Amino acid sequence: MAVQVPSRQLFIGGEWREPILKKRLPIINPATEEIIGNIPAATAEDVELAVAAARRALSRNKGKDWATAPGAVRAKYLRAIAAKVTERKTELAKLEAIDCGKPLDEAVWDIEDVAGCFEYYADLAEGLDAKQKAPVSLPMETFKSYVLKEPIGVVGLITPWNYPLLMATWKVAPSLAAGCAAILKPSELASITCLELAEVCREVGLPPGVLNILTGLGPEAGAPLASHPDVDKIAFTGSSATGSKIMAAAAQMVKPVSLELGGKSPIIVFEDVDLDKAAEWTAFGCFWTNGQICSATSRLIVHENIAREFLDRLVKWTKNIKISDPFEEGCRLGPVVSGGQYEKVLKFISTAKSEGATILSGGVRPEHLKKGFFVEPTIITDVTTSMQIWREEVFGPVLCVKTFSTEEEALELANDSHYGLGAAVISNDLERCDRVSK
């Protein structure tokens, strides 16, 4: 399917601007490995301009244009953005799929969620007006006390490539609802739809500088944004290693951060389950969005009494997952996002094998796909808790498996991780589900 990728510049102060150093980065379609366009590569010089534009947006007209405007005013813009996103849903979904490799219908659902997210925060922005100057009762009549909710200021938003526009929206929409001015730095591996969000903001007349969008590399654009003295807060979603660096940079200025980092989440399957349903949920938990989800349940802990039959059913489920170009009808698993990610995933699989694990299913490029960064959904057994595959996040369609005999053992295995992002329990015993999830 031919999709035209728009050529864009950086979005600073409500205008398209060429990067100061005039650098650009190629956009590679992960399903074909072809270069389909390019994005501007911002550097510290462009960050300076964006921060200055954001600060001007906050102080313009003594803040009345945005920061101190009624929440209802900001809500109108958020709803206008939601309407435009809905209007352009089909086109945006195609751009998302061609950029990050997720199946087209998943991309369509993501774009619908983007519009829903802007609507949700429009409601909250309106709700802020009623909460302003909420009185606090004091035992002294001579004093009055009330709570005033104010925007924190200029926020830097650094977002990943697995849900490019949706994860950006999770940060952009609340920032704008609160009256902040924002600078968004999406992942260089999937920036197309974030640049289209800039065009949407321009079309709805969002006040200049309220949202600025800088594409580019982490060290060249993300790092100077995170450490900038005039950025009041950083919100980041991505790897734990990068999150640690951002936290360290922010700590120099005692700057608040919100971080959502990696995961190696467990899914515990007890012996009383419907095997087919549990196998379907396990496949979904690990292989959705091509396995590239931080909260993916990538460690399966299954009761030893059902392990063999359960794994047989799970392998059957994975064999039925259609792996193809994201635009093909019925595609359920597309390519991973980049050549670098593809090599990394295959290295995890080969290391597991060399450490003594068994590749029960998958683990290779699908035979029918000669091009693109495709990896078959992979199930790895005979895993020990010291293996890399058990301990580290793969961020690809790879599931590792261990069995258990008692509930205590299952809990110990589930909690045997330095991550703590998510977990799942499957059992027909509701009390056990509640007990184990706690």
Side-chain angles (χ1 to χ4, degrees):
M1 185 182 291
V3 181
Q4 189 62 42
V5 177
S7 181
R8 299 287 187 201
Q9 302 288 2
L10 303 174
F11 188 66
I12 300 174
E15 296 175 350
W16 295 111
R17 299 184 67 133
E18 195 175 0
I20 288 175
L21 300 187
K22 297 183 169 44
K23 289 164 74 171
R24 295 189 79 84
L25 300 168
I27 302 167
I28 296 166
N29 177 349
T32 63
E33 301 181 42
E34 290 168 1
I35 294 176
I36 53 172
N38 56 55
I39 53 166
T43 55
E45 294 85 347
D46 304 298
V47 171
E48 286 296 336
L49 292 179
V51 172
R55 293 229 79 90
R56 280 196 302 276
L58 287 181
S59 60
R60 192 182 301 117
N61 194 15
K62 294 184 178 170
K64 289 176 189 167
D65 283 9
W66 193 255
T68 62
V73 170
R74 297 195 292 272
K76 278 182 188 168
Y77 287 105
L78 294 176
R79 290 207 177 94
I81 292 168
K84 273 274 180 221
V85 166
T86 301
E87 196 181 294
R88 294 183 58 188
K89 177 175 76 174
T90 304
E91 173 206 354
L92 289 170
K94 286 175 183 172
L95 289 171
E96 199 80 293
I98 204 173
D99 200 13
C100 74
K102 70 169 60 195
L104 180 60
D105 54 4
E106 286 184 33
V108 171
W109 300 329
D110 286 0
I111 303 302
E112 288 170 350
D113 282 350
V114 166
C117 189
F118 276 109
E119 289 281 0
Y120 175 81
Y121 282 102
D123 290 348
L124 286 190
E126 280 180 338
L128 268 178
D129 292 342
K131 292 178 184 171
Q132 291 296 34
K133 295 202 172 177
V136 178
S137 68
L138 293 175
M140 298 166 284
E141 285 178 16
T142 47
F143 289 92
K144 275 191 176 172
S145 177
Y146 59 82
V147 177
L148 185 64
K149 293 180 182 287
E150 295 182 317
I152 199 167
V154 173
V155 292
L157 314 174
I158 303 173
T159 56
W161 41 257
N162 53 339
Y163 288 81
L165 188 54
L166 183 56
M167 290 242 184
T169 299
W170 285 0
K171 298 191 189 320
V172 168
S175 302
L176 301 192
C180 296
I183 300 156
L184 170 65
K185 207 299 280 182
S187 166
E188 70 277 8
L189 296 177
S191 297
I192 300 175
T193 50
C194 288
L195 288 171
E196 292 313 293
L197 176 62
E199 179 59 16
V200 165
C201 291
R202 207 180 62 79
E203 286 172 8
V204 304
L206 188 72
V210 164
L211 178 61
N212 307 275
I213 300 179
L214 304 178
T215 53
L217 300 170
E220 293 180 6
L225 179 61
S227 60
H228 200 291
D230 288 333
V231 173
D232 301 297
K233 172 176 173 143
I234 294 289
F236 168 79
T237 298
S239 75
S240 298
T242 305
S244 176
K245 286 177 190 166
I246 285 170
M247 203 170 191
Q252 304 306 308
M253 287 158 284
V254 200
K255 181 186 299 188
V257 293
S258 300
L259 304 173
E260 196 225 323
L261 308 176
K264 191 73 179 174
S265 300
I267 180 165
I268 305 174
V269 179
F270 283 93
E271 73 275 27
D272 60 351
V273 297
D274 175 319
L275 291 181
D276 274 320
K277 271 188 185 167
E280 182 183 2
W281 276 108
T282 302
F284 171 80
C286 189
F287 303 136
W288 186 254
T289 304
N290 312 339
Q292 299 172 131
I293 302 181
C294 52
S295 55
T297 41
S298 56
R299 288 186 300 137
L300 167 62
I301 300 162
V302 59
H303 196 282
E304 60 187 14
N305 291 353
I306 59 164
R308 180 173 289 180
E309 195 183 346
F310 182 77
L311 289 172
D312 284 346
R313 307 235 183 153
L314 186 57
V315 168
K316 281 195 185 107
W317 266 104
T318 61
K319 297 288 185 203
N320 285 330
I321 293 171
K322 180 173 177 178
I323 311 168
S324 68
D325 185 289
F327 287 99
E328 257 190 52
E329 186 75 32
C331 172
R332 281 273 58 83
L333 194 86
V336 295
V337 75
S338 67
Q341 194 64 18
Y342 174 75
E343 295 300 334
K344 185 180 153 198
V345 172
L346 291 182
K347 181 81 167 53
F348 266 106
I349 295 165
S350 68
T351 299
K353 207 171 172 182
S354 71
E355 287 181 346
T358 301
I359 313 303
L360 182 68
S361 177
V364 292
R365 166 191 285 284
E367 279 181 19
H368 67 288
L369 294 162
K370 307 299 179 203
K371 273 263 169 91
F373 309 125
F374 294 92
V375 181
E376 281 187 353
T378 304
I379 300 169
I380 301 178
T381 55
D382 300 318
V383 171
T384 66
T385 57
S386 61
M387 287 180 183
Q388 181 199 42
I389 200 66
W390 179 262
R391 307 224 67 84
E392 292 182 28
E393 181 178 43
V394 177
F395 223 67
V398 180
L399 178 72
C400 63
V401 185
K402 274 196 74 62
T403 60
F404 71 92
S405 57
T406 66
E407 190 176 299
E408 290 69 30
E409 190 187 354
L411 277 168
E412 201 172 306
L413 287 168
N415 290 323
D416 179 33
S417 174
H418 60 268
Y419 294 108
L421 196 59
V425 185
I426 305 184
S427 167
N428 273 335
D429 181 340
L430 285 178
E431 271 184 35
R432 173 157 61 191
C433 285
D434 193 41
R435 184 172 66 243
V436 171
S437 61
K438 275 180 187 161

